[in-house]
Amino acid sequence: VKRARTEVPECTAVRPQKLCEARSVLAVRRFGMSSAHTAQRYRQRQLLAMDSVFATSRLASLVSPATGVFQLYADAEPQRGVLPLACKYSAMGEQLALVDESGFVSVFGTRTVDAQSDVSLEPILRWKAHDNSAFDVEWRADCAQMATASADETLRVWDVEHQQCMGSFVGHAQTVRSVSWRSASMHCFSSASRDGSIMIWDSRCNKERVDGEYVYRPVNVIGHAHNLGSSKKPMRGKKGMLGGSVTAICHLQHNTDLLASVGSTSEIVKFWDVRMKAHVRPFALPTPAMSTLLSTSSAGRSRGTASLSLDPDGTRLYSACNDNSVYVHNAMMPGLPIARLTAPEFECQSFN
């Protein structure tokens, strides 16, 4: 577990785009583009052709010192280290929840951490949440409950104080990669999976009691959320999909109906209105409410995105991409990234 500094890196502004604005006006005259929407799309393509996002090496200042690095050990084998897969702070930052490859949840008290004392490194709470690896964890707004996502294709909601499972959420066909609680909601959250789908859950709906435990079904499903498109070549008699997993999701604060998502296929961040029902036609790709513009990576091709995080103010969205960059987006008005943060020692990889 790494305890990082809290300084926010200064973002570098995007270069002025007056030249592209003039080109878009010229395109309307030259190509007969009568609609403002068509002219805007032309302007966006011109922006993508430019190196419009500055790269700044500000990530180096966020590297934890040696005194802020701790080791997490397995219960059965105290000498064997356990690989942590995700961690989240509570609303006030007083507790840190961590999930690992063994399916355990560990809760640490951040106010009592002392790098000189081994006792302070012990979790204040620890329990077995899943029989398989746990890939993500998310606190509810009141910190009374948390949701965990696992490679066993399920999610579970827990009473933190009593470490009691409040119900299992079933519907994904592959590993559940990410979970995000809807802002200020006590009942609604979303999940993303390697099967390419995003599922919306409500603990008040679609539940049944099985073997003494509540089992929930999703209230909405967004399938093929980050697929590249349909393949022209048939596959086993069906139309193939050039798909990818949804690697991370995040509910926005300024509009609680919007959900941001990223995938393994590109650096694009898509925004979904969770109130809208997705397409029901087979192999039909869903349409997001909006999305960021594709910013070509330094290697010249898309490498996918590993994680997504919203700042405490809800105005900046950070996406860690597999081109070893962190892109900064305006969460209030999606478009081109406003900055790209890099560091020579920063490497970003994803299980996809």
Side-chain angles (χ1 to χ4, degrees):
V1 181
K2 292 188 176 182
R3 181 178 58 185
R5 301 193 190 108
T6 58
E7 292 90 339
V8 178
E10 181 180 345
C11 300
T12 309
V14 177
R15 295 174 183 171
Q17 307 297 340
K18 292 183 179 180
L19 176 61
C20 290
E21 292 177 0
R23 287 179 177 176
S24 65
V25 174
L26 181 61
V28 176
R29 298 174 181 173
R30 180 177 298 177
F31 301 108
M33 299 179 181
S34 57
S35 67
H37 176 70
T38 306
Q40 182 184 15
R41 291 184 61 184
Y42 179 83
R43 176 176 176 270
Q44 290 174 353
R45 288 195 296 269
Q46 293 296 326
L47 288 173
L48 298 182
M50 301 175 60
D51 184 17
S52 56
V53 181
F54 286 112
T56 177
S57 297
R58 293 300 184 112
L59 291 181
S61 63
L62 298 180
V63 177
S64 298
T67 56
V69 180
F70 308 110
Q71 182 72 42
L72 184 68
Y73 295 99
D75 289 341
E77 304 176 44
Q79 302 303 321
R80 183 178 69 88
V82 176
L83 178 65
L85 297 179
C87 60
K88 295 288 178 60
Y89 283 100
S90 59
M92 300 303 295
E94 298 180 352
Q95 293 180 325
L96 176 68
L98 181 146
V99 291
D100 58 47
E101 62 178 348
S102 300
F104 277 86
V105 176
S106 302
V107 180
F108 297 87
T110 58
R111 294 188 179 275
T112 60
V113 172
D114 182 4
Q116 306 301 324
S117 174
D118 292 335
V119 178
S120 63
L121 304 183
E122 295 292 333
I124 58 178
L125 296 173
R126 182 170 168 84
W127 69 90
K128 183 77 169 178
H130 297 271
D131 293 329
N132 209 325
S133 300
F135 273 81
D136 200 12
V137 60
E138 177 81 348
W139 293 87
R140 199 172 71 174
D142 61 356
C143 300
Q145 294 183 0
M146 66 171 61
T148 56
S150 172
D152 62 11
E153 304 175 1
T154 68
L155 299 102
R156 290 180 179 175
V157 172
W158 299 89
D159 181 293
V160 177
E161 182 179 359
H162 302 95
Q163 299 96 61
Q164 180 181 359
C165 181
M166 308 302 294
S168 297
F169 296 75
V170 180
H172 285 293
Q174 293 187 38
T175 298
V176 186
R177 289 293 311 277
S178 180
V179 58
S180 177
W181 218 291
R182 193 170 180 176
S183 302
S185 175
M186 299 292 106
H187 305 284
C188 302
F189 62 93
S190 303
S191 61
S193 169
R194 279 182 180 167
D195 61 15
S197 68
I198 298 172
M199 294 190 176
I200 316 300
W201 310 88
D202 190 330
S203 59
R204 299 166 295 186
C205 307
N206 294 359
K207 65 179 179 179
E208 59 180 343
R209 200 166 182 84
V210 179
D211 297 331
E213 181 184 60
Y214 283 111
V215 177
Y216 296 82
R217 297 290 177 178
V219 296
N220 194 8
V221 178
I222 304 172
H224 313 301
H226 282 268
N227 280 26
L228 293 177
S230 300
S231 173
K232 296 181 180 179
K233 183 179 180 180
M235 183 181 299
R236 295 181 182 178
K238 296 181 180 180
K239 186 182 295 184
M241 301 297 292
L242 302 177
S245 67
V246 185
T247 54
I249 55 175
C250 181
H251 275 279
L252 302 187
Q253 294 183 9
H254 72 281
N255 186 343
T256 58
D257 295 324
L258 286 181
L259 174 73
S261 71
V262 291
S264 61
T265 56
S266 71
E267 296 91 356
I268 293 179
V269 182
K270 296 184 178 181
F271 298 84
W272 309 91
D273 189 331
V274 297
R275 300 168 299 178
M276 303 297 293
K277 285 291 184 179
H279 289 283
V280 295
R281 293 188 296 110
F283 305 106
L285 297 182
T287 302
M290 62 188 77
S291 62
T292 61
L293 300 180
L294 176 63
S295 179
T296 305
S297 64
S298 57
R301 63 184 179 90
S302 298
R303 293 179 176 270
T305 306
S307 63
L308 194 64
S309 181
L310 189 68
D311 72 350
D313 295 333
T315 59
R316 292 291 183 266
L317 195 63
Y318 297 84
S319 59
C321 297
N322 294 332
D323 63 352
N324 299 330
S325 301
V326 175
Y327 290 90
V328 186
H329 306 272
N330 185 348
M332 313 291 288
M333 187 179 298
L336 277 172
I338 59 177
R340 180 166 67 90
L341 309 179
T342 61
E345 60 272 25
F346 175 71
E347 294 184 1
C348 181
Q349 297 179 353
S350 172
F351 292 102
N352 292 336

